[in-house]
Amino acid sequence: MMKRVNIKVTALAAFIGLALTGCGGDDGAPGADGANGTDGKDGKPGLTVATSATDLAVNVDKVLVASDSEVTFTVTNEKDLPVVGLEHFGFILSGLEQGQNGDANSWKLLSSESCPGSKYAKCGTLTDNQDGTYTYKFLKDVTTETAFSVTDDKTLRLIVTTGGDTLGGKTLAYANKSHDFRNNGEAPLYTKSVINNQNCTGCHDDFTIHGGHYKEVETCISCHTDNKVSSASKVFPMLAHDKHIGVISAPVGGCDNCHSENEQAVDYTNWKTVPTQETCITCHTDVNFKEGVNHWPYEDNAQCANCHTPEVVETVHLATYKGQTSRRENVHLTVTDAKMVAVPQAQKNIDSGLDTAKTGYVQLTVDILDKDGKSMNKQLDKVDFFYYSEFYINWGGQDMGMERGKILRVFTNKENFPGYVEDPIVLSYENGKTTYEIGPFELEDEFEGSLTDSYGMVTPRIWFCMDKKGENLESCKETSSVWGQGAAGFNWLHFFDDKGLIPERPRRQIVTNEKCGSCHGMTTRDSDGMAQMTLNCRSCHAVTKNDPAYFGTTCASGSVDNDGDGILDEMIKLKSLSPRGERDWTTASNAGEECLACHNANNPPTQVVRDSHTKQGDADYVEQLTMSHPDQKVWIHAMHANNRANQGGEGWKRNVEYSADLANCVKCHEGDSFDAKYLVGRKPLALDLDYMDTYDGLDPANGKDTSGNKRYAVDAKADAYVSPTAAVCLSCHGKRAAEEGEDRRQVRKDVVSHMKQNGAQFGVELGQYTGEESCAVCHDLNNLKESHNLK
């Protein structure tokens, strides 16, 4: 294209040229050189700005709170490059009023604004300074807020929210920035940092509410204030208590489960140092302080701390489990040795005639230590301060070899059912060490062959009696209340082989006590702490209602028709899986894995587990049984996913609402222990498909009658098998929501079909099982991490 010429400019240039050349004559010698000019200033370099962002970071540069409040802040991406062109921001400004007469410090909302404006919040004036900094002028004159007056001494908080804009073709994730300050520019003189996200992420993953816009607890606290929300129950402390009490999986009353120390929660002890009526009644709902119901009448909080001192508050609330922990220290029933021997040495075992070339016997040595770790020099079976002392033992390595293993019950509160609870056989006693011989253990496995060179595990479960003060051991025969005056002992998990205890654990670490305790609560924050499994064993291993022989045991199965109406009576007393306030000594755990002794692939689900919620003839019977299997790697997934056969119905007692993302495997798993390769070649899960067909409840008037087909939960016989990888994956992915007319969640047929197409087998007989799953070919570690959003 031809360049266009400006005619007027060209003519003017020619005219000036003629005028200059028309001046004749010589002007003489050249003049002197002029002085050197000064150096020019360096030019401003070009600004490099972000063209994409994974995360946004906000830094508050300056805040002025007045009738025309203004904030200047900088936004950068994860590479610390300035981000320009953003239009979506939220601004929450609050002030902290110091409590008087026993009141807690309380936040007051001064203004909540956002850009672009909406029906929920209006927008003031937002200026993009095109260098990564932004300036926002609040629309509201915050000095008109009657609930709070701004002074240079008071603490203020600004929350800036970002996210929702598009940069580099991607929508930016939401982020919140909290900034506490004084209006004179200096650091705050006081604060109220009771909890933060670090306290919450023990149970939750990402803490997000209101569509994901708000991701910090400080944001919630700043807005849920008494001058903003419609009722006192929605002020943040009360709201948080109401949403968690009786719902969380940690002990009720265990305030330190949430109110725990970290570098940001500097006021974490407020729960015991600043008792107030407002927060107390969120748990103690039967108290009315104003009217004097279940408490002396008080108009305000001025006198609360006089009686409810930090020591008293802590003792009353945390004694539910910390008191038990201190009592536990009085006795340590310690496994000092354990080994598998090929032939028995105890005369009673020799005479039994049960020994074969394919059996072995475990010799277990224990010592009773006092609180100082010194031996009491007492033979275990001859002391009188144990209510029960039991040792759960199994052999066979990763999958274990026996259904429920063997249980050595030195003292027990259970019936002596033949073949299940046997009299202990003492092999020897010397210098405080009692050695028992337990067996026989089968050393041949249908799937693995010889188990002779494998390893075993043992974990104790004990309860001992003490005086009312919890200071001295006491004979259980003299104790008026065994449960009220006793303590559960520690229950470490030990591994052993044919040479003795194994110093290094032979199986990979899948979960840890600390990971379980992050949600269920810990007695301490170190590796020696006890995880408080308040959803205790009795919730599933339910007590019986109408058969005295089985009361207080886990051995009953099925039901009886006592009233003759042709319908089996409810025999199992259901308990809710929701946490309870009482001390859960049966489930305070040190190991997190000790359940493996019984909860393994060999152990078919029985009617105790099924609870009649699935039965032969159901279209999804085998799959429902699979998801209700007691194998540790299945039941623990299915229970948290609310997928067991006795879960998932509207209003059912056993429903569980898991507080984190079920796809977040590392929430519970250590490292990459969820890799599907670890399931390749593992033992299939055993089922007993005709279990209820062989139960007829003969002679219900005689609970101890074992004739006919009356069934114990321990005598299920495997007649079908399920592939292990499919069972584990199904435990989380196997259910869809119940549709209209269905009483519970149903199995996803598409998932089962996909598994079968890739080698999985469900409910096949022993001779038909091939073990040819190919899941790990596609679902390798990288695929699992990608599909579960773990990278």
Side-chain angles (χ1 to χ4, degrees), residues 253-261 271 318 321-322 522-523 525:
C255 306
D256 61 344
N257 294 310
C258 298
H259 295 278
S260 56
E261 182 177 7
W271 68 272
L318 302 189
Y321 60 97
K322 287 194 173 179
M522 293 284 287
T523 55
R525 298 291 165 183

Side-chain angles (χ1 to χ4, degrees), residues 60 62-71 93-96 110 138 142-143 148-158 179-190:
V60 177
K62 182 180 179 181
V63 192
L64 175 64
V65 177
S67 57
D68 52 349
S69 303
E70 182 177 287
V71 54
L93 186 62
S94 301
L96 183 60
L110 300 182
F138 278 82
V142 299
T143 62
F148 187 87
S149 58
V150 178
T151 69
D152 285 347
D153 291 335
K154 291 185 178 181
T155 299
L156 299 167
R157 171 173 289 173
L158 173 70
H179 177 67
D180 289 2
F181 62 101
R182 275 194 289 160
N183 212 28
N184 60 7
E186 297 183 13
L189 297 172
Y190 61 94

Side-chain angles (χ1 to χ4, degrees), residues 331 380 382-389 411-413 462-467 472-487:
V331 177
L380 175 57
K382 293 184 177 181
V383 298
D384 62 357
F385 50 79
F386 278 106
Y387 180 57
Y388 59 75
S389 55
F411 295 95
T412 183
N413 61 334
I462 65 176
W463 183 271
F464 51 86
C465 301
M466 304 188 69
D467 59 23
N472 301 298
L473 295 173
E474 187 174 273
S475 170
C476 291
K477 296 179 181 178
E478 300 174 2
T479 302
S480 60
S481 172
V482 170
W483 296 109
Q485 290 178 217

Side-chain angles (χ1 to χ4, degrees), residues 312-370:
V312 169
V313 175
E314 180 171 357
T315 299
V316 169
H317 288 83
L318 302 189
T320 52
Y321 60 97
K322 287 194 173 179
Q324 279 296 305
T325 301
S326 63
R327 287 183 172 221
R328 279 190 178 95
E329 296 293 346
N330 285 274
V331 177
H332 294 257
L333 186 53
T334 303
V335 175
T336 61
D337 198 14
K339 63 180 178 180
M340 174 67 76
V341 296
V343 295
Q345 298 178 21
Q347 191 61 47
K348 191 172 182 179
N349 283 328
I350 295 173
D351 295 342
S352 70
L354 297 175
D355 182 39
T356 72
K358 297 181 179 181
T359 61
Y361 291 77
V362 171
Q363 294 177 353
L364 181 69
T365 304
V366 296
D367 195 355
I368 311 172
L369 308 182
D370 62 18

Side-chain angles (χ1 to χ4, degrees), residues 495-514:
F495 297 97
F496 64 93
D497 56 18
D498 58 354
K499 300 178 181 62
L501 291 177
I502 303 175
E504 299 292 334
R505 56 178 292 127
R507 57 182 286 130
R508 75 186 191 279
Q509 189 79 54
I510 302 171
V511 299
T512 63
N513 205 43
E514 292 75 24

Side-chain angles (χ1 to χ4, degrees), residues 150-205:
V150 178
T151 69
D152 285 347
D153 291 335
K154 291 185 178 181
T155 299
L156 299 167
R157 171 173 289 173
L158 173 70
I159 304 289
V160 180
T161 67
T162 60
D165 285 286
T166 300
L167 186 65
K170 294 184 178 180
T171 301
L172 297 175
Y174 292 101
N176 298 173
K177 169 66 176 181
S178 174
H179 177 67
D180 289 2
F181 62 101
R182 275 194 289 160
N183 212 28
N184 60 7
E186 297 183 13
L189 297 172
Y190 61 94
T191 184
K192 188 180 181 182
S193 297
V194 177
I195 61 169
N196 55 33
N197 279 30
Q198 189 174 337
N199 300 105
C200 301
T201 53
C203 288
H204 301 279
D205 288 329

